[in-house]
Amino acid sequence: MPLKDYEALVGSTAGIVTVASFFAPAFICKTVIKKGSTENVDPMPFIGGMSMSILMLQHGLILKDPAMIPVNVFGFILNLIYFSIYYHYSTERGQLWLTLGKAATFVAVLIGYAQWEYEHKVEFRFGLITTSIMFALISAPLLSLGEIIRTKNSASLPFPLIVSSLFVTSLWLLYGIIIENIFVQFQNAVAFLLCLGQLILCIIYPARDDSKDKAKKAE
């Protein structure tokens, strides 16, 4: 039986797993609530999550893909909730609004471009844009690669997001192969490899809370 016969099943499964992965940041929020502070917690997973949900929703509308649209609407709503929790505990709200404003402006410009571009060109060009942004967001934690290797501590890597993204990208890669869409394939193949690399770092350098170690030494 050809893979095409499994298109609906794989698309639905990928959508369900993606929705499930949207709950991974809840573990980060749990940590913030427990600490009562956003110290050492980056807001970009939430701001980036909202931004990518909107852009991927637009991409789904361009592709007229029924599997992508509801998933990204739900993703935006959840990330908005996560951001609200982060905002509540943040002590740097001015900077937070500035970052959010920049992201919102950037997304608005891209959405405007998608409406303006010629119909026969927008699928390729907008797909290229979303692919580039997604790679940037996924690989962002690797900016601290030197620090991770130096300290042998992967605490700065968002482990729940990495694991969930690994499963999600593998399913969307398979879906992209089935629907024969080069952008969906390329996006998720590279994203899968980036997540796999981060997961390997988490295994080699297990996360630990150095602040607790320092507190014990101080005692």
Side-chain angles (χ1 to χ4, degrees):
M1 186 178 290
L3 281 176
K4 194 69 176 176
D5 293 338
Y6 294 97
E7 178 178 340
L9 175 61
V10 174
S12 299
T13 303
I16 292 170
V17 174
T18 301
V19 169
S21 74
F22 289 153
F23 290 97
F27 291 99
I28 301 175
C29 289
K30 181 181 178 181
T31 300
V32 169
I33 293 171
K34 186 176 180 180
K35 289 169 53 179
S37 166
T38 59
E39 183 181 2
N40 296 324
V41 179
D42 190 354
M44 283 312 296
F46 311 131
I47 296 175
M50 288 190 291
S51 301
M52 277 309 299
S53 292
I54 295 174
L55 292 176
M56 293 305 293
L57 172 60
Q58 178 62 58
H59 196 199
L61 291 171
I62 292 172
L63 296 174
K64 297 180 175 62
D65 191 302
M68 294 175 67
I69 296 172
V71 166
N72 287 291
V73 170
F74 186 70
F76 173 79
I77 293 172
L78 270 184
N79 277 288
L80 179 60
I81 293 172
Y82 298 144
F83 176 80
S84 299
I85 294 173
Y86 186 96
Y87 179 82
H88 177 74
Y89 288 95
S90 176
T91 57
E92 299 181 355
R93 294 181 177 179
Q95 182 61 41
L96 199 56
W97 276 115
L98 181 61
T99 304
L100 181 62
K102 289 179 180 178
T105 300
F106 183 65
V107 169
V109 169
L110 292 181
I111 296 298
Y113 163 74
Q115 312 309 313
W116 167 82
E117 183 59 275
Y118 292 110
E119 187 174 349
H120 64 285
K121 294 181 179 180
V122 68
E123 180 178 333
F124 174 84
R125 293 182 176 178
F126 195 80
L128 185 61
I129 291 170
T130 55
T131 298
S132 301
I133 296 171
M134 185 175 72
F135 290 166
L137 287 172
I138 292 176
S139 60
L142 292 176
L143 292 175
S144 59
L145 179 60
E147 183 69 12
I148 292 171
I149 295 175
R150 185 183 68 80
T151 60
K152 294 180 170 44
N153 183 7
S154 63
S156 62
L157 295 178
F159 183 75
L161 294 181
I162 292 170
V163 174
S164 62
S165 296
L166 199 65
F167 283 107
V168 169
T169 52
S170 63
L171 283 171
W172 283 114
L173 173 59
L174 178 59
Y175 184 69
I177 293 172
I178 293 174
I179 65 175
E180 300 178 352
N181 185 288
I182 188 63
F183 275 116
V184 176
Q185 293 173 25
F186 182 65
Q187 280 178 346
N188 291 285
V190 177
F192 177 84
L193 291 175
L194 287 171
C195 292
L196 182 61
Q198 293 178 61
L199 180 61
I200 291 173
L201 283 174
C202 289
I203 294 172
I204 296 175
Y205 305 117
R208 65 177 186 275
D209 191 344
D210 287 338
S211 62
K212 290 183 178 179
D213 294 337
K214 291 179 181 177
K216 288 181 180 179
K217 288 180 181 179
E219 292 175 359

